[in-house]
Structures are given as structure tokens and as C-alpha cells.
């Protein structure tokens, strides 16, 4: 209970010669007295009445009111915020803050990286109301060990700072979801078992939102997009939270550089190991994904169908080509046989024409022989025979086979009439002269 304090204040002295009778001036009038009914109200009266009713001292009443305020605050918060602490966690050393689970300290293990900044604030407020040294003292707890309260403050500091919180989330193994085994995946619901794994891993993606695993009805494009995303996963994990503390005393610059280099190498190694781990995890999931097997089977069937269609088309083209070749060979053979027949026919015709020409030539020579080489009486002289045959050969040399046949036909018709035969030769010679094939005097006997 607070006590009254008396202050000694000296009033200023009146000026010399001041008199109430002459210097006092009234600026107003006091109103008349009014009777009013006063009622005991207000927080202070209620506190006084509460103390009197329960026979409490001031300190007892403040302690009990503090307990009720804490309980009211806890009841106003969501039940999911700020779970009860593990007794072992209450014994933590605040100096070992890197080893503590900040989400567990604030009672946010259910939310972890999903906890909003507002939930972090509310959880901190609730923990402070429960574990603040002053509140504990007001509740009658005289334990002066405030180590866990320092853990709360450190957890709030880490989780309230976006950069520090991301560093802690980068190594928060408690938020990881263990992938199911091959046996579990084959016997259980594949999508129900694997979806939480990729949801947990997706918190590290620079690209948001992360593609979902889907279900049995997912299309090939959706499944292909999902696995392409995870095989090319772009992670923001840096593992800085696990760095060894860098000395900041400024005395050993070389030591500082050594620690910084050591931390950088350790981060790179952990990054490489994490990338390999994630790739192995995606490989395991893809190997057990029946959708991929179904798509591959459909692709093989489609490929086989296209192969069979291609083979059938190739066979058809080959048959068409073979048929064309056979048709070409047949046409060539027919053409050769036709040409051979034509040649034989032409040969026979030529031989027939040649025989006919020989026969007609014999007719020509026989025609003059039958008329005794145009001798009027007795045997013709040798010179006359030679002259007649020379002129016959001349005419024969100037005419073609058709003209020869025509001449032979006319000579045959003339028979053994010497005058008629000679007249036929004379007409033929005259025709040759008219056609420009002979000149006057070249066949003297028939001129």
C-alpha cells in the first residue's frame, strides 16, 4: 500500500503595503450550497469493497487479481497457441540458444514455419504472462531462475526477424517429414503418404506456389510439370544458422577469416548434400509412382502402334515398289519382245522385198531374153545382148523396189511381145528422165 508524502512548500510573501480591504478585488461569486446524493462507484471503490468483503490486504488482492488476469488472457487465446512446456525444456540453459527449438519454446510446434507473425506475437505474449519473473513473483513463485524466460525472449527475437527466422527454418529438422518406405508406399495410399513430404520440402522453394503431387486422375502434363519442378528445384536454404560464431573482438583478423572460410565451405557442403538428398527422394517417389508406369506403358503402346503403322507403310511402299519394278520389267520385256518381233517382221519383209526385187530383176532380164534381146531375126549379137542388158541394169539402178515391182508387172503383162516389152522400157526411161533420175542418151537402146 502506498503512503502519503508531505511536501513543504513556502508561499510567496505579500508585497509591502498590500491590504485586503483596498487591494482585494472579487472576480466572481460563490454559488449557493446544493444538496446532492453521493454514491460509492469507480474502480478504486470496487477494489476497496472487494478487499473488505474478502478480508484481504492490498498485497493479497493484487496477487489474486494477477492470477485471474493471466488465466483470463490464456482463455482468450486460441487453444492451439502456446502449448504446455516440456519440464526438460524449462531447465534449458539460455546460453545454448542455438540448440533450442524456438517454436517449441513459444508453443508453436503445430505450426512451425507456417506460423504467422501475429501468431508469434500472441504466443510470446502468452508465454511472458506465464513466465515473466514479475508475474511469477506476483503469483507467489519466488524462484529467481529466469533462464527459460530468456529462452522465450531469444525465440521471439529469432522468429520475429524474417532473416533470422529463415535461417532457423533452413535447418529446422523438426519440420521435416520422413518419406515413406517402399513397402509403405506400395501398401498404403501413395498420395496421402508422399504429399506431406513434398509440402514440407516445398517450404524451401524460391518459386511459389509449389506444384502439388496430385492424384490418380492427374494428367501427363501435370505429372510431368511436378517432377520437372522437383528435379530442377531452386532452394533458398543457406544453412547459415549452423555457422560457427565468428570472433568479433578485432584482435585476430586471421582467425576471423579462417572461421568465415570454414563456415562458407561447410554451407556449400551441406547445400550439395541437401541437393543430392532431395534428388534421391524424388527418384524414390518417381520409382513408386504408378502414374508414371501407366504413362510409360501408354507411351510404349503408342510407340508400338506407330512402329507397326510405320512398318506396314514401309511394307506397302516396298510392295508398291516391287510391283512397279515387276510391271516395269514386264513392260520392258514386252517392249523387247515386240521390238524383236518387229525386227523379225522387218527382216522377213526386207528379205521378202529382197527376194521380190531379185525376182523382179530376173523378170526384167527374162523379159528381154524372151524377146531375144530385141533381135529381128536369128541369134542376137553379143554386142546387142550386152547393150540391152546394160540399159536394163541402168534402168534397174534408177528405180526403187515399188517402181521395180510395177515395171516387172507391166513387163509380165507385155509377155513375149518384143515391141510391147520395148515400149514398156521406153516409157519407164522416159519417166526417169521426167523425174530427173536419168538423162537423154543414157539408155540408148530404149531412147
Amino acid at each position: 500500500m502506498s503512503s502519503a508524502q508531505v511536501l513543504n512548500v513556502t508561499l510567496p510573501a505579500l508585497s509591502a503595503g498590500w491590504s485586503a480591504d483596498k487591494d482585494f478585488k472579487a472576480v466572481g461569486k460563490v454559488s449557493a450550497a446544493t444538496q446532492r446524493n453521493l454514491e460509492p462507484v469507480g474502480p478504486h471503490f470496487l477494489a476497496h469493497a472487494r478487499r473488505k468483503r474478502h478480508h484481504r490486504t492490498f498485497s493479497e488482492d493484487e496477487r489474486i487479481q494477477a492470477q485471474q488476469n493471466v488465466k483470463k488472457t490464456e482463455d482468450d487465446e486460441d487453444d492451439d497457441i502456446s502449448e504446455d512446456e516440456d519440464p526438460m525444456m524449462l531447465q534449458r540453459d539460455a546460453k545454448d540458444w542455438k540448440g533450442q527449438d524456438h517454436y517449441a519454446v513459444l508453443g508453436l510446434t503445430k505450426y512451425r514455419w507456417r506460423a504467422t507473425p501475429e501468431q508469434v506475437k500472441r504466443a510470446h505474449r502468452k508465454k511472458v504472462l506465464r513466465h515473466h519473473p514479475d508475474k511469477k513473483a506476483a503469483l507467489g513463485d519466488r524462484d529467481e531462475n529466469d533462464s527459460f524466460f530468456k529462452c522465450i525472449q531469444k525465440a521471439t527475437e529469432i522468429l520475429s526477424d524474417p532473416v533470422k527466422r529463415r535461417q532457423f527454418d533452413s535447418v529446422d529438422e523438426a519440420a521435416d517429414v520422413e518419406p515413406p518406405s517402399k513397402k509403405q508406399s506400395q501398401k498404403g495410399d501413395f498420395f496421402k503418404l508422399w504429399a506431406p513430404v513434398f509440402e514440407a520440402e516445398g517450404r524451401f522453394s524460391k518459386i511459389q506456389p509449389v506444384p502439388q503431387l496430385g492424384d490418380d486422375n492427374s494428367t501427363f502434363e501435370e505429372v510431368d510439370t511436378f517432377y520437372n519442378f522437383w528435379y530442377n528445384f531452386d532452394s533458398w536454404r543457406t544453412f547459415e544458422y549452423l555457422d560457427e560464431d565468428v570472433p568479433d573482438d578485432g584482435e585476430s583478423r586471421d582467425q576471423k577469416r579462417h572461421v568465415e572460410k570454414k563456415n562458407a565451405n561447410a554451407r556449400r557442403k551441406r547445400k550439395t548434400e541437401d541437393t543430392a538428398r532431395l534428388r534421391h527422394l524424388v527418384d524414390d517417389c518417381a520409382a513408386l509412382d504408378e502414374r508414371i508406369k501407366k504413362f510409360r506403358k501408354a507411351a510404349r503402346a503408342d510407340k508400338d502402334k506407330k512402329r507397326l503403322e510405320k512398318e506396314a507403310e514401309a511394307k506397302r511402299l516396298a510392295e508398291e515398289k516391287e510391283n512397279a519394278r515387276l510391271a516395269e520389267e514386264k513392260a520392258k520385256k514386252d517392249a523387247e519382245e515386240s521390238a524383236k518381233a518387229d525386227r523379225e517382221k522387218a527382216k522377213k519383209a526386207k528379205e521378202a522385198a529382197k527376194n521380190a526385187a531379185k525376182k523382179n530383176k530376173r523378170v526384167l532380164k527374162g523379159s528381154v531374153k524372151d524377146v531375144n534381146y530385141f533381135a529381128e531375126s536369128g541369134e542376137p549379137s553379143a554386142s546387142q545382148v550386152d547393150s540391152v542388158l546394160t540399159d536394163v541394169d541402168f534402168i534397174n539402178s534408177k528405180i526403187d523396189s515399188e517402181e521395180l515391182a510395177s515395171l516387172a508387172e507391166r513387163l509380165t503383162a507385155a509377155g513375149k511381145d518384143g515391141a510391147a516389152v520395148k515400149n514398156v522400157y521406153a516409157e519407164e526411161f522416159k519417166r526417169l528422165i521426167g523425174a530427173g533420175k536419168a538423162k537423154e542418151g543414157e539408155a540408148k537402146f530404149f531412147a
Side-chain angles (χ1 to χ4, degrees):
M1 179 177 176
S2 59
S3 58
Q5 185 176 3
V6 179
L7 298 178
N8 296 320
V9 179
T10 303
L11 296 175
L14 296 174
S15 58
W18 186 88
S19 171
D21 295 332
K22 64 176 182 176
D23 294 324
F24 177 77
K25 294 180 180 181
V27 295
K29 294 182 179 180
V30 179
S31 61
T34 303
Q35 185 175 359
R36 296 180 182 274
N37 295 326
L38 299 180
E39 297 181 359
V41 296
H44 297 289
F45 174 78
L46 293 177
H48 168 74
R50 186 175 58 248
R51 289 193 297 270
K52 290 296 184 181
R53 178 182 180 186
H54 297 288
H55 306 287
R56 299 174 186 166
T57 63
F58 275 90
S59 60
E60 288 176 338
D61 188 65
E62 288 179 355
R63 177 175 58 80
I64 294 173
Q65 285 298 107
Q67 290 176 341
Q68 291 178 350
N69 288 337
V70 170
K71 187 176 185 305
K72 183 177 183 302
T73 302
E74 290 177 349
D75 292 340
D76 289 341
E77 301 288 351
D78 292 340
D79 292 336
D80 292 339
I81 300 293
S82 188
E83 306 97 336
D84 292 335
E85 301 86 357
D86 187 325
M88 294 297 296
M89 185 169 58
L90 295 174
Q91 305 301 320
R92 286 198 58 85
D93 185 356
K95 295 180 180 179
D96 185 25
W97 61 270
K98 271 200 173 184
Q100 77 178 21
D101 184 346
H102 301 304
Y103 289 111
V105 169
L106 292 184
L108 295 169
T109 54
K110 180 178 179 179
Y111 294 92
R112 307 201 75 82
W113 55 275
R114 301 183 190 86
T116 64
E118 179 61 27
Q119 287 175 323
V120 173
K121 291 180 181 178
R122 288 162 56 194
H124 171 251
R125 182 168 61 251
K126 192 170 183 180
K127 290 291 183 180
V128 168
L129 286 173
R130 184 181 299 174
H131 296 283
H132 194 285
D134 292 344
K135 294 294 182 181
K136 291 168 68 177
L139 296 174
D141 187 353
R142 300 301 180 184
D143 185 4
E144 297 180 357
N145 183 10
D146 61 351
S147 180
F148 185 66
F149 179 73
K150 293 179 180 178
C151 292
I152 295 172
Q153 295 300 90
K154 192 63 180 182
T156 305
E157 175 191 341
I158 297 294
L159 299 183
S160 299
D161 187 319
V163 176
K164 293 180 179 179
R165 181 176 179 178
R166 172 164 281 206
Q167 291 175 357
F168 175 70
D169 287 341
S170 179
V171 298
D172 184 13
E173 295 181 355
D176 295 338
V177 177
E178 188 71 19
S181 64
K182 181 178 180 180
K183 187 175 182 181
Q184 290 174 325
S185 298
Q186 291 173 340
K187 289 187 176 181
D189 186 337
F190 173 83
F191 303 102
K192 188 175 181 180
L193 292 171
W194 278 95
V197 177
F198 286 103
E199 182 183 0
E201 295 293 340
R203 71 187 191 272
F204 301 123
S205 177
K206 291 181 180 179
I207 302 173
Q208 296 290 343
V210 176
Q212 299 300 308
L213 180 60
D215 52 31
D216 282 324
N217 299 319
S218 298
T219 63
F220 172 80
E221 290 73 16
E222 291 171 339
V223 176
D224 187 58
T225 298
F226 174 81
Y227 283 104
N228 281 337
F229 176 86
W230 284 101
Y231 276 120
N232 299 280
F233 190 74
D234 190 5
S235 173
W236 53 259
R237 297 186 77 176
T238 59
F239 301 96
E240 290 176 280
Y241 191 82
L242 301 178
D243 284 355
E244 180 181 337
D245 292 336
V246 178
D248 56 357
D249 52 10
E251 295 181 359
S252 179
R253 189 175 300 174
D254 292 339
Q255 177 65 14
K256 182 177 180 180
R257 291 198 190 98
H258 172 72
V259 174
E260 290 176 346
K261 184 177 180 181
K262 183 179 178 181
N263 288 337
N265 291 335
R267 287 197 297 268
R268 281 194 295 269
K269 182 179 179 182
R270 293 188 183 102
K271 186 79 171 180
T272 301
E273 291 174 349
D274 184 66
T275 301
R277 176 196 64 82
L278 183 59
R279 175 60 64 91
H280 182 69
L281 184 146
V282 178
D283 287 341
D284 289 344
C285 180
L288 297 169
D289 196 336
E290 293 295 332
R291 297 174 302 178
I292 295 180
K293 297 177 183 179
K294 179 180 68 176
F295 293 142
R296 286 177 178 172
K297 184 177 180 180
R300 282 195 298 269
D302 185 61
K303 185 177 180 181
D304 290 341
K305 180 181 177 182
K306 290 181 179 179
R307 178 179 58 80
L308 292 175
E309 290 176 351
K310 186 176 180 180
E311 290 177 354
E313 180 66 12
K315 184 178 180 180
R316 185 185 65 80
L317 294 175
E319 290 176 352
E320 289 182 356
K321 185 176 180 181
E322 181 65 15
N323 292 335
R325 185 185 67 80
L326 294 175
E328 183 180 358
E329 289 182 354
K330 186 176 182 301
K332 185 177 180 181
K333 185 177 181 181
D334 292 343
E336 290 177 352
E337 291 177 353
S338 177
K340 183 178 179 181
D342 291 342
R343 285 194 301 271
E344 291 178 353
K345 185 177 180 180
K347 183 179 179 181
K348 290 179 180 180
K350 185 176 180 182
E351 289 178 353
K354 186 177 180 181
N355 292 333
K358 288 180 180 181
K359 180 179 179 181
N360 290 331
K361 286 179 181 180
R362 287 196 297 270
V363 170
L364 264 62
K365 290 183 179 180
S367 65
V368 294
K369 182 179 179 181
D370 290 341
V371 295
N372 198 26
Y373 299 104
F374 303 107
E376 294 179 357
S377 60
E379 293 291 330
S381 63
S383 59
Q384 184 175 349
V385 172
D386 184 61
S387 177
V388 172
L389 292 176
T390 299
D391 286 348
V392 170
D393 289 338
F394 174 76
I395 292 173
N396 187 29
S397 65
K398 296 298 182 179
I399 59 179
D400 56 24
S401 58
E402 292 181 357
E403 293 171 339
L404 178 61
S406 177
L407 178 59
E409 184 179 355
R410 284 181 287 153
L411 289 174
T412 301
K416 294 183 179 182
D417 185 352
V421 170
K422 187 174 182 179
N423 185 51
V424 171
Y425 276 113
E427 289 178 355
E428 184 66 19
F429 181 63
K430 186 178 180 180
R431 188 188 67 78
L432 291 175
I433 293 173
K437 294 181 179 182
K439 297 179 181 179
E440 293 286 348
E442 287 184 321
K444 297 179 181 179
F445 193 81
F446 299 118

